[in-house]
């Protein structure tokens, strides 16, 4: 089916300096924890997107010199011949599909840790940051500044050797160029500090040198945070970035402008989680640059709607559609628009699980696209599935995230699939999650898979079936079975803190509610305590949901801060602002001794570190390991919400396992578990589990994951490059 003509504007070529994009789709630089140390992973991840129609594919931030190392974060680098070789492979994969390859040259300044290099890093001023606690950067003198400008040029030469078409000067997210421009961080008194003309000098000098070095062989891109969301103290979109853009345009230094917002420590203002920021949320800030430059501009904002993309171009907001997370969720987004398959777009949900993995130093993942970052190491293509050589009938029990994905992939592979759901609607616990404050877009996990299952003639979806028993499964008539029956929140206060129920908690009583019961409408009193041992979105989301009903809400958690996992998804800063603004009281570093239920509910909590700090020197059967304390604090409430721990709904599997001797008689070859019923996990891992088992369904035992490719140096083989080369 050809594309709708109203989308033709998205497929017009765009000239950027000496290069021409084949359409208006640009994957902005983003990390995937591959860098130059995992060249196969990095090249395949970008190459798949080129195959999917993206006209420009960029690396992650690329360090220009060991002096700007950002370890332990994994980024690209252009330090030596080995880096050139590894990044050339990325360029080759991108060029196979007629796309352009870009590299984002980066010096982190004070954001460079020096933890591996053991250097004191250069910065605009003497400073430390929350990114690199415990390190101070060296304030650059003028010789240092010239040296760094030359580092950019040397890296640009290496980028040309690698085959890059676009070379970025990365001045966003609080890195060195942003530190120079920012009035907040730049407190110099020489010609690089003070008035705007001085603070912009480093940008202008470096761009002039890079332009001369590149000499028309590649396009020069600038990535700039035009607003630090700090008010008068920081960079503001309508002010100095516009002046800089006018200067750079007058001198002809920039071929394309990549515009975003963020400050030094909260780059979630750029990669905005959907809880707080909807698509194209940066538009009010980024529009000013487009008004003063002659070169094409692009900006981001989790753009997944073709209609919105057209409006962005036709309104003059930007010339190019930028994306990072949407390219991860659907590498084939452009091709699907081009082929008139908009309903097949796998839209990003803005959960930022991808970012959370990079923040923790592990390969990125995607809730919507389980094949993301698995293109090389597992040889998974996001749109292509090997047909099974042994088609058979498969019963998938449970249509939550794991079951929906498992049934979809099994169907794509040619199995005859029956997906049976107890409830009247598919989606499992996601139907509750998407009703939490700000999480409506997470419902795309359900809707995408519903649409795809509806297109598969070999898949039947049966809802409202009620809970299947072991007899039901055994007599269903399927050759194989995958149980995706999910998990449930414990109603007794059990968590890893106690490895036992909490004394006094009984979910059958009206004073206690689980997250499922909250969303089902169980009555809640005026004063509420949320017990959160989960540490992710559930406890804090329920607290907001309940406080919005006019209730008085407190959270008790053993963690040092509420919902610590959201630090990695970039939700935490605004979540803490929300709790402060809405008056949600927080008791962190505490857990529950017991609960007493009378006319009031009394929750006795204790400080995790109430015991003495000195360990005993004479242990024995009657000697405690340290001075023990029974100090506690009593909190009164009407209702206790139990976000303490989840348990797998594994009883059906246990019942079937106990009757394994009947499987063959009933024609059942094997029974597997996928998703939360195997072990409760975050949604991205639940979807992945259903996907992986379906991908590996022909293996001897798909319950056990197949090995994946590891990229590593083998002892005894020459490293690249040779030491001290």
């Amino acid at each position: 089916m050809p594309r709708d003509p109203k989308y033709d504007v998205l497929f017009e070529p765009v000239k950027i300096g000496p290069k021409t994009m084949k359409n208006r789709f640009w994957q902005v630089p983003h990390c995937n924890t591959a860098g130059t140390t995992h060249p196969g992973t990095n090249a395949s991840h970008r190459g798949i997107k080129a195959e999917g129609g993206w006209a420009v594919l960029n690396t992650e931030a690329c360090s220009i010199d060991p002096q700007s190392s950002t370890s332990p974060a994994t980024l690209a680098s252009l330090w030596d011949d080995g880096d050139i070789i590894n990044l050339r492979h990325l360029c080759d994969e991108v060029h196979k599909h007629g796309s352009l390859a870009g590299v984002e040259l980066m010096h982190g300044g004070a954001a460079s840790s020096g933890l591996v290099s053991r250097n004191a890093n250069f910065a605009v001023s003497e400073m430390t940051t929350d990114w690199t606690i415990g390190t101070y950067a060296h304030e650059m003198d003028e010789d240092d500044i010239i040296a760094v400008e030359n580092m950019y040029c040397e890296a640009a030469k290496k980028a040309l050797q690698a085959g890059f078409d676009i070379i970025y000067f990365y001045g966003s997210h609080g890195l060195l160029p942003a530190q120079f421009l920012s009035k907040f961080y730049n407190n110099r008194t020489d010609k690089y500090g003070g008035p705007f003309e001085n603070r912009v000098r480093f940008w202008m000098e470096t761009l002039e040198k890079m332009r001369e070095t590149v000499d028309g062989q590649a396009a020069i891109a600038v990535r700039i945070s035009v607003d630090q969301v700090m008010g008068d103290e920081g960079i503001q979109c309508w002010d100095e970035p516009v002046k800089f853009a006018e200067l750079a345009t007058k001198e002809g230094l920039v071929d394309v402008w990549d515009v975003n917002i963020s400050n030094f420590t909260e780059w979630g203002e750029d990669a905005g989680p959907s809880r707080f920021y909807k698509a194209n949320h940066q538009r009010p800030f980024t529009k000013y640059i487009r008004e003063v430059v002659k070169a094409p501009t692009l900006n981001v904002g989790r753009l997944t709607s073709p209609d919105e993309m057209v409006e962005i171009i036709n309104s003059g907001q930007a010339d190019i559609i930028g994306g990072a997370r949407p390219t991860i969720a659907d590498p084939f987004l452009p091709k699907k628009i081009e082929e008139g398959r908009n309903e097949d777009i796998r839209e990003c949900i803005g959960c930022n699980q991808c970012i959370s993995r990079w923040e923790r130093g592990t390969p990125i993942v995607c809730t919507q696209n389980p094949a993301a970052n698995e293109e090389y190491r597992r040889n998974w293509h996001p749109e292509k599935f090997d047909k099974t050589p042994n088609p058979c009938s498969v019963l998938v029990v449970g249509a939550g995230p794991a079951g929906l994905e498992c049934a979809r992939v099994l169907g794509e592979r040619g199995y005859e699939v029956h997906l049976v759901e107890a409830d009247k609607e598919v989606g499992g616990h996601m139907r509750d999650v998407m009703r939490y404050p700000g999480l409506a877009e997470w419902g795309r996990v359900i809707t995408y898979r519903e649409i795809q299952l509806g297109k598969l003639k070999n898949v039947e979806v049966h809802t409202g079936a009620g809970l299947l028993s072991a007899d039901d499964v055994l007599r269903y008539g399927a050759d194989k079975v995958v149980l995706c029956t999910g998990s449930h929140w414990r109603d007794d206060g059990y968590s890893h803190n106690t490895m036992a129920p909490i004394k006094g908690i009984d979910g059958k009583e009206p004073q206690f509610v689980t997250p499922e019961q909250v969303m089902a409408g169980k009555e809640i009193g005026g004063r509420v305590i949320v017990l959160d041992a989960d540490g992710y979105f559930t406890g804090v989301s329920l607290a907001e949901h309940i406080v919005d009903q006019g209730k008085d809400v407190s959270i008790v958690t053993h963690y040092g801060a509420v919902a610590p996992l959201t630090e990695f998804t970039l939700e935490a800063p605004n979540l803490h602002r929300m709790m402060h603004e809405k008056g949600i009281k927080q008791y962190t570093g505490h857990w529950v001794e017991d609960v007493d239920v009378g006319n009031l509910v009394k929750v006795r909590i204790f400080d995790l570190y109430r015991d003495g700090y000195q360990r005993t020197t004479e242990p024995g059967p009657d000697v405690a390991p340290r001075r023990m304390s029974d100090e506690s604090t009593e909190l009164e409430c009407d209702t206790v919400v139990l976000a303490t721990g989840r348990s797998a709904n594994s009883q059906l599997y246990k019942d079937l396992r106990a009757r394994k001797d009947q499987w063959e008689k009933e024609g059942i070859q094997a029974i597997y578990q996928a998703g939360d019923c195997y072990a409760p996990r975050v949604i991205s891992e639940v979807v992945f589990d259903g996907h992986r088992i379906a991908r590996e369904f022909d293996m001897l035992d798909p319950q056990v994951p197949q090995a994946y490719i590891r990229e590593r140096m083998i002892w005894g083989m020459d490293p690249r490059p040779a030491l001290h080369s």
Side-chain angles (χ1 to χ4, degrees), residues 248-379:
T249 298
K250 181 180 178 181
E251 299 297 327
L253 299 178
V254 180
D255 296 315
V256 60
W257 293 84
D258 181 346
V259 186
N260 63 19
I261 65 173
S262 78
N263 61 37
F264 201 49
T265 56
E266 291 189 35
W267 67 287
E269 295 302 310
D270 176 22
S274 58
R275 180 192 292 272
F276 297 110
Y277 297 114
K278 302 310 175 188
N280 205 18
H281 64 96
Q282 299 189 39
R283 179 174 188 163
F285 297 87
T286 58
K287 63 183 180 181
Y288 295 94
I289 294 293
R290 177 68 177 77
E291 296 171 359
V292 299
V293 300
K294 296 178 181 178
T297 67
L298 64 117
N299 50 248
V300 294
R302 209 172 65 259
L303 305 170
T304 62
S305 164
D307 292 318
E308 187 163 29
M309 295 174 187
V310 169
E311 196 277 331
I312 287 170
I313 301 301
N314 289 340
S315 69
Q317 176 187 334
D319 306 286
I320 300 166
I321 301 300
R325 291 168 293 169
T327 75
I328 300 168
D330 199 335
F332 277 67
L333 186 152
K335 186 152 286 189
K336 290 175 181 178
I337 300 172
E338 189 171 23
E339 295 174 352
R341 298 192 294 121
N342 293 4
E343 75 281 3
D344 292 335
I345 294 173
R346 196 166 41 244
E347 293 184 271
C348 171
I349 70 171
C351 65
N352 283 3
Q353 273 298 311
C354 52
I355 292 168
S356 81
R357 293 305 182 93
W358 181 81
E359 288 275 316
R360 287 182 281 177
T362 60
I364 66 165
V365 302
C366 179
T367 299
Q368 281 285 66
N369 177 17
N373 231 30
E374 304 291 351
E375 301 89 355
Y376 176 76
R377 70 174 193 163
R378 282 190 164 91
N379 195 29

Side-chain angles (χ1 to χ4, degrees), residues 631-702:
E631 296 174 1
S632 63
T633 301
E634 189 174 271
L635 306 178
E636 293 183 350
C637 67
D638 304 302
T639 303
V640 179
V641 177
L642 304 171
T644 52
R646 291 186 288 161
S647 285
N649 295 334
S650 56
Q651 190 59 51
L652 178 57
Y653 178 78
K654 292 175 182 177
D655 292 345
L656 289 164
R657 180 79 179 177
R659 298 169 66 178
K660 192 172 183 179
D661 58 343
Q662 300 178 35
W663 293 6
E664 185 176 355
K665 177 184 175 182
E666 300 293 346
I668 295 177
Q669 301 170 22
I671 299 176
Y672 308 111
Q673 299 176 86
D676 281 336
C677 73
Y678 188 74
R681 283 158 285 177
V682 296
I683 301 163
S684 59
E685 295 309 298
V686 169
V687 175
F688 175 85
D689 208 31
H691 186 99
R692 183 200 59 75
I693 280 183
R695 285 267 193 182
E696 300 175 352
F697 211 61
D698 299 314
M699 299 297 105
L700 185 62
D701 184 3

Side-chain angles (χ1 to χ4, degrees), residues 35-61:
T36 43
T37 58
H38 294 75
T41 298
N42 212 355
S44 295
H45 184 68
R46 318 290 175 179
I48 283 288
K49 298 177 188 182
E51 181 186 342
W54 294 87
V56 172
L57 290 306
N58 289 287
T59 66
E60 57 276 271

Side-chain angles (χ1 to χ4, degrees), residues 26 166-170 207 210 219-223 254-258:
W26 179 295
I166 302 159
I167 299 177
Y168 263 85
F169 182 55
Y170 182 18
L207 284 169
M210 286 178 64
I220 299 292
V222 160
R223 194 180 198 189
V254 180
D255 296 315
V256 60
W257 293 84
D258 181 346

Side-chain angles (χ1 to χ4, degrees), residues 109-130:
S112 297
S113 68
L115 295 177
V116 171
S117 67
R118 306 188 75 171
N119 295 333
N121 298 302
F122 288 160
V124 63
S125 306
E126 185 178 68
M127 59 188 291
T128 186
T129 76
D130 288 343

Side-chain angles (χ1 to χ4, degrees), residues 487-691:
S487 65
H488 64 277
W489 288 94
R490 298 280 297 243
D491 65 359
D492 56 6
Y494 181 101
S495 75
H496 64 281
N497 288 319
T498 57
M499 294 302 293
I502 295 173
K503 182 181 178 182
I505 289 181
D506 183 354
K508 299 180 180 63
E509 298 297 324
Q511 296 90 346
F512 301 98
V513 293
T514 64
E516 296 100 333
Q517 291 171 334
V518 172
M519 302 312 292
K522 185 174 180 179
E523 187 175 350
I524 294 173
R527 294 180 298 171
V528 179
I529 293 176
V530 177
L531 304 184
D532 181 15
D534 182 62
Y536 190 19
F537 63 84
T538 302
V540 70
S541 295
L542 291 175
E544 184 178 8
H545 173 74
I546 294 167
V547 81
D548 286 347
Q549 299 172 26
K551 315 284 188 180
D552 180 86
V553 180
S554 301
I555 298 180
V556 176
T557 181
H558 67 287
Y559 293 109
V562 171
L565 187 55
T566 63
E567 292 284 351
F568 302 114
T569 61
L570 312 185
E571 297 166 282
N574 283 324
L575 275 175
H576 286 286
R577 292 182 179 108
M578 178 277 294
M579 288 187 285
H580 178 76
E581 186 173 335
K582 295 187 177 184
I584 298 173
K585 293 180 284 293
Q586 304 171 48
Y587 297 89
T588 58
H590 283 71
W591 199 235
V592 183
E593 193 86 75
D594 53 45
V595 179
D596 179 57
V597 179
N599 292 331
L600 295 172
V601 179
K602 297 179 180 179
V603 180
R604 193 155 60 99
I605 66 173
F606 63 95
D607 189 311
L608 295 182
Y609 300 103
R610 65 183 176 179
D611 297 335
Y613 69 91
Q614 292 181 326
R615 194 176 64 200
T616 183
T617 57
E618 297 182 9
D622 299 318
V623 179
R626 60 183 75 245
R627 178 188 61 78
M628 307 303 287
S629 170
D630 59 1
E631 296 174 1
S632 63
T633 301
E634 189 174 271
L635 306 178
E636 293 183 350
C637 67
D638 304 302
T639 303
V640 179
V641 177
L642 304 171
T644 52
R646 291 186 288 161
S647 285
N649 295 334
S650 56
Q651 190 59 51
L652 178 57
Y653 178 78
K654 292 175 182 177
D655 292 345
L656 289 164
R657 180 79 179 177
R659 298 169 66 178
K660 192 172 183 179
D661 58 343
Q662 300 178 35
W663 293 6
E664 185 176 355
K665 177 184 175 182
E666 300 293 346
I668 295 177
Q669 301 170 22
I671 299 176
Y672 308 111
Q673 299 176 86
D676 281 336
C677 73
Y678 188 74
R681 283 158 285 177
V682 296
I683 301 163
S684 59
E685 295 309 298
V686 169
V687 175
F688 175 85
D689 208 31
H691 186 99

